[in-house]
Amino acid sequence: MELFARNGYHSTSISQIAKEAGVSKGLLYNYFDSKEALLHDIIMEAVEMANEVMGNILSSDADAAEQLRMMTEVTFGIIQKDLHYWKLMTSLAFQTDALTGLMPELRKMQEETIMVIAGIFRRLGAGEPEKEAFYYGAVLDGIMLHYMQMEEAYPIEEMKAFVIKRFLPEEQ
Amino acid sequence: MELFARNGYHSTSISQIAKEAGVSKGLLYNYFDSKEALLHDIIMEAVEMANEVMGNILSSDADAAEQLRMMTEVTFGIIQKDLHYWKLMTSLAFQTDALTGLMPELRKMQEETIMVIAGIFRRLGAGEPEKEAFYYGAVLDGIMLHYMQMEEAYPIEEMKAFVIKRFLPEEQ
Amino acid sequence: MELFARNGYHSTSISQIAKEAGVSKGLLYNYFDSKEALLHDIIMEAVEMANEVMGNILSSDADAAEQLRMMTEVTFGIIQKDLHYWKLMTSLAFQTDALTGLMPELRKMQEETIMVIAGIFRRLGAGEPEKEAFYYGAVLDGIMLHYMQMEEAYPIEEMKAFVIKRFLPEEQ
Amino acid sequence: MELFARNGYHSTSISQIAKEAGVSKGLLYNYFDSKEALLHDIIMEAVEMANEVMGNILSSDADAAEQLRMMTEVTFGIIQKDLHYWKLMTSLAFQTDALTGLMPELRKMQEETIMVIAGIFRRLGAGEPEKEAFYYGAVLDGIMLHYMQMEEAYPIEEMKAFVIKRFLPEEQ
DNA sequence: CATGAATGAGGCTTCATTCAT
DNA sequence: AATGAATGAAGCCTCATTCAT
């Protein structure tokens, strides 16, 4: 994952991965059928991790505003903690050739997430909850995009505060 | 550009490009020094196009609100018109290995754009114009990201209206 | 080595080498980093072989005349035994484009050899030992040149006797 | 010729030659059928030049000793004057692949030269005139070899004097 | 479970040569 | 007489994958 994220999927060779992992190429192929299968597993691990976090938030007994705040905080937190990981995830979203067979799965997940967030906004009393959900998702993804590109040069903490203030003005 | 955008930079071979363009591989190398140089030229064309549009808006005698509205409309318009083009541009931002010598140039451009937009928000009387500029940029890039991934399934027109309403509520 | 010597460095392709060696192209690259590295290794093997022979002669307790005779005999012997090898070595000296990073190393070796031979001539009481060494070297290299070009048509044995008579007239 | 000599036959492209000559590639092909034909013409020019010089010396009414001295002086002179040219000539002798169809011609010339020089040594009263001719040829070629490799670092003038003293000791 | 030697398809690039103008 | 756009074969090299051990 580190290598894929740092150098790109195509520029990372199985040899490099094996060397970095301290195992032989042969052994890698005992655990993963192909380079693409390895990528698939990496992605799925991320997806499941995200799903779990999301589920925890939704199943909590916090109110809608609190859930949105938590979701925002957690999103920022995850990205800041595993920047490389998410850089890879995002970059892959644009390398459609590397993801054949995986896209439908991801597409469905994305739609579900939108629905969940739309639900939160509905409970918050938004006029157009679904559009609001799209908008909220765009804000977060846009910020992540910029952060991934600029890294330390990006005012990530300030932006987090800014986002929370915009979507949850009544807090505090 | 079409092939790069559709299949990714690495998965597109010079052979494919030559065949699609209806010329020989050799001729490609009469016009571009290398595969990377070809990419460079494609990117630079996009950058210049964007710069020109931006310049036109800024040099117009419209007021700040009108300039922001134009910028938003134009951004949505450009993306919808040349989706492939901008898909490539965005995807490349994540294939750092394909852009080695080009990144500084692009980085500088990005910073300049932020400054320009911050100027507009300042004229609009925003409290934190620079953060507002980052935020506005994130919204647009986030929407583009989603639109690029979902294409026709994305409610692009509604989102445009939504964005304008958020940033320019006083209009109409 | 055989192919390089017979057809020249540039006219010998990696494909040919692999086929002749009965291995795949890929395997060649497991052992040699590049075509040039392969050449480098071939040359270095020759250089070390020559150095060892030379060292043996110089460290023997034979007198100067005997050492010169041995050196002459050994030189003729080596060339006759591994004609292809030395044909390659000599031909490479003229393909400066194939030897870029190797020339300094070879140049130094050549100078050392001249010094060693000059030492022998000094012990033999020659008036201008260094010029004599250059001259001796020229004679041997010139003969090798002709022999390499004419092969069996060249009177190599007679020339060996002729050289020894010229440089060591007092023998016998 | 300059480019062939400096960079090697294979490393010199027709494009380079055309650019250096200030003409188009197309025009080159109006005058020479192929790259190899161009090389052929270059070589033949050199061969004819050498033949003419040799003929002049032999048809002069100088005695054998004077002819040998002249031949020696002229050989050194020619090489020193057009080093690049002769470097190319010699390098080609080792790139048998570049000379297909030309070798027999050159081989015959070489043999004739040996016979001519043997004749001179016979007139000088040498015991084994043919071997002496081979030996003389080897000395000159060997020196040229070293000179071509070391260029200014080689004591070419001293070696010329040394050679003349060896083969024509009675002079002066 | 583990290795790494071996393969071969395919990628980027160069370059001698042709030909319409 | 002169150009240079165009071609395509061939060269070097990489790398995912297999398999005997």
Side-chain angles (χ1 to χ4, degrees), chain C residues 141-151 154, chain D residues 110 114 133-139 141-142:
Chain C
D141 282 348
I143 288 173
M144 296 315 142
L145 202 72
H146 293 167
Y147 177 46
M148 285 171 197
Q149 284 173 354
M150 300 176 58
E151 302 204 1
Y154 193 78
Chain D
Q110 208 171 20
I114 290 288
F134 272 117
Y135 186 77
Y136 172 80
V139 168
D141 282 349

Side-chain angles (χ1 to χ4, degrees), chain D residues 71-94:
Chain D
M71 205 166 267
T72 309
E73 299 265 14
V74 160
T75 304
F76 275 86
I78 282 178
I79 304 272
Q80 282 179 269
K81 186 162 158 297
D82 296 313
L83 180 59
H84 277 326
Y85 206 102
W86 296 99
K87 212 164 171 174
L88 169 61
M89 295 300 298
T90 313
S91 84
L92 289 174
F94 287 95

Side-chain angles (χ1 to χ4, degrees), chain C residues 16-165:
Chain C
Q16 278 174 59
I17 297 172
K19 190 176 295 174
E20 188 82 6
V23 298
S24 67
K25 266 183 292 183
L27 187 54
L28 266 187
Y29 280 90
N30 275 9
Y31 290 95
F32 305 97
D33 285 345
S34 65
K35 189 182 180 183
E36 194 179 341
L38 168 58
L39 178 64
H40 181 276
D41 281 16
I42 290 176
I43 291 177
M44 276 315 168
E45 198 184 340
V47 164
E48 276 157 28
M49 188 205 301
N51 271 350
E52 195 186 317
V53 169
M54 191 85 107
N56 286 344
I57 292 174
L58 291 175
S59 63
S60 75
D61 50 3
D63 65 9
E66 179 61 12
Q67 283 191 350
L68 188 63
R69 206 188 51 73
M70 283 167 70
M71 204 167 268
T72 308
E73 299 263 13
V74 158
T75 303
F76 274 85
I78 282 179
I79 303 273
Q80 283 179 268
K81 186 164 158 294
D82 297 313
L83 181 59
H84 276 326
Y85 213 103
W86 295 101
K87 207 164 173 177
L88 170 60
M89 295 299 296
T90 314
S91 83
L92 288 173
F94 287 94
Q95 303 191 40
T96 43
D97 55 328
L99 286 171
T100 323
L102 201 54
M103 278 315 248
E105 231 165 332
L106 295 178
R107 190 60 53 90
K108 218 188 62 190
M109 270 210 37
Q110 209 170 19
E111 281 169 25
E112 283 173 9
T113 307
I114 289 289
M115 293 322 246
V116 164
I117 296 176
I120 293 181
F121 278 111
R122 188 170 299 110
R123 283 188 279 141
L124 277 174
E128 299 174 302
E130 195 161 323
K131 274 185 212 164
E132 197 81 41
F134 272 117
Y135 187 77
Y136 171 81
V139 168
L140 288 206
D141 282 348
I143 288 173
M144 296 315 142
L145 202 72
H146 293 167
Y147 177 46
M148 285 171 197
Q149 284 173 354
M150 300 176 58
E151 302 204 1
E152 328 79 44
Y154 193 78
I156 184 77
E157 287 296 344
E158 284 95 325
M159 292 312 291
K160 181 166 78 173
F162 200 89
V163 167
I164 292 180
K165 199 161 57 180

Side-chain angles (χ1 to χ4, degrees), chain A residues 93-164:
Chain A
F94 287 96
Q95 303 190 39
T96 45
D97 58 323
L99 287 171
T100 333
L102 197 56
M103 277 316 254
E105 229 163 336
L106 295 177
R107 189 63 51 90
K108 217 187 61 191
M109 267 211 39
Q110 209 169 19
E111 282 169 25
E112 284 173 8
T113 307
I114 289 289
M115 295 321 249
V116 164
I117 296 177
I120 294 182
F121 278 110
R122 186 169 302 111
R123 283 188 278 141
L124 276 174
E128 299 174 302
E130 194 161 325
K131 274 187 211 161
E132 197 80 41
F134 272 118
Y135 187 77
Y136 171 80
V139 168
L140 288 206
D141 282 348
I143 288 174
M144 296 316 144
L145 204 72
H146 292 168
Y147 177 44
M148 286 173 197
Q149 282 172 1
M150 299 177 57
E151 303 204 0
E152 329 79 45
Y154 193 78
I156 185 74
E157 287 296 346
E158 283 95 326
M159 291 313 290
K160 181 166 77 173
F162 200 89
V163 167
I164 292 179

